[in-house]
Amino acid sequence: MQDVQDKISGLRERKRADTHARVHAAAMELFGRKGFEATTLDDIASSAGVSRRSLFHYFASKEDIVLSTKAGLGDLIEAAVARRPADEPLLTMAENALTDMAADFQGPGPRALARLIHDTPALRAGDQAKYEALEGRLALAMATRKDLPADDLQARVVATTAIGVLRMATETWLASDDDRGPEVHGKAAFAALRQAATRID
């Protein structure tokens, strides 16, 4: 009996995951073709083959559909930090972890997503909140990796600075007209930060 219940539960979860992915893909295609503001929830539901009511079981709003793409960034950052040598200086650890993670965001898809968020005021506020949450995740991950107190001030300062560099690197990536990935712009921004820190005026 338990095996049957487990199978039913597994089928439900797979169906839910498939529908979630279908709604998200339909929405992103419409946003790219029609624009964020011009796309309605009814458009998305129709394209995904679900009712408007069902759509709300998966996403609370159009903004949620877009920003949910970044939901796993905190986990990716923590995993990237965990792979770094524990004896790395904090700034080096943050730089290497973030640029390693950014190397996975190649191609037109991630760039189109970043462009959509950048160009849509309704999305930028939510994106700002996610960046602030990432600062805390990065700080705690580095403190844990280096066996420091959870609220270590240096880890928090470095994390805040590093996430700021990540945001600026994203801006320069979007402004560039070449095919280089975001990690290249991130490394350039960290290099500029180090030069500024050692400059004697």
Side-chain angles (χ1 to χ4, degrees):
M1 183 66 176
Q2 185 62 45
D3 288 344
V4 173
Q5 291 178 340
D6 288 345
K7 288 180 180 178
I8 292 173
S9 178
L11 286 172
R12 286 175 179 165
E13 286 302 314
R14 285 196 293 275
K15 182 178 179 181
R16 180 174 176 81
D18 288 344
T19 304
H20 184 283
R22 190 169 72 250
V23 171
H24 185 273
M28 297 305 294
E29 189 277 330
L30 287 168
F31 294 151
R33 181 161 50 86
K34 297 179 59 175
F36 182 81
E37 299 296 345
T39 300
T40 67
L41 289 171
D42 286 333
D43 292 334
I44 297 168
S46 176
S47 180
V50 300
S51 68
R52 181 186 173 98
R53 182 177 179 181
S54 293
L55 188 150
F56 284 114
H57 291 161
Y58 298 93
F59 300 102
S61 64
K62 291 193 300 181
E63 290 81 3
D64 186 37
I65 294 174
V66 177
L67 296 176
S68 69
T69 308
K70 290 190 170 186
L73 278 183
D75 292 338
L76 291 176
I77 285 175
E78 289 181 355
V81 170
R83 292 193 295 268
R84 302 309 311 164
D87 59 353
E88 271 189 333
L90 280 168
L91 185 58
T92 302
M93 180 178 287
E95 175 182 0
N96 289 334
L98 290 180
T99 52
D100 286 350
M101 182 195 72
D104 293 331
F105 291 84
Q106 303 285 346
R111 194 166 193 157
L113 173 65
R115 172 64 65 192
L116 176 65
I117 294 172
H118 178 272
D119 292 346
T120 308
L123 294 171
R124 284 203 296 266
D127 200 43
Q128 168 65 26
K130 288 190 177 293
Y131 274 117
E132 292 173 358
L134 289 179
E135 290 174 8
R137 296 284 294 270
L138 177 58
L140 181 57
M142 292 192 299
T144 300
R145 186 72 182 105
K146 296 185 73 64
D147 199 22
L148 299 170
D151 62 347
D152 182 77
L153 181 58
Q154 288 190 17
R156 289 166 55 198
V157 168
V158 168
T160 299
T161 303
I163 295 300
V165 168
L166 174 64
R167 293 180 64 183
M168 192 184 70
T170 301
E171 295 279 340
T172 58
W173 175 46
L174 291 176
S176 67
D177 58 358
D178 56 44
D179 295 328
R180 294 183 302 166
E183 77 284 359
V184 176
H185 298 276
K187 285 186 175 295
F190 272 105
L193 173 63
R194 293 178 187 280
Q195 290 173 357
T198 58
R199 180 175 177 177
I200 301 177
D201 292 323

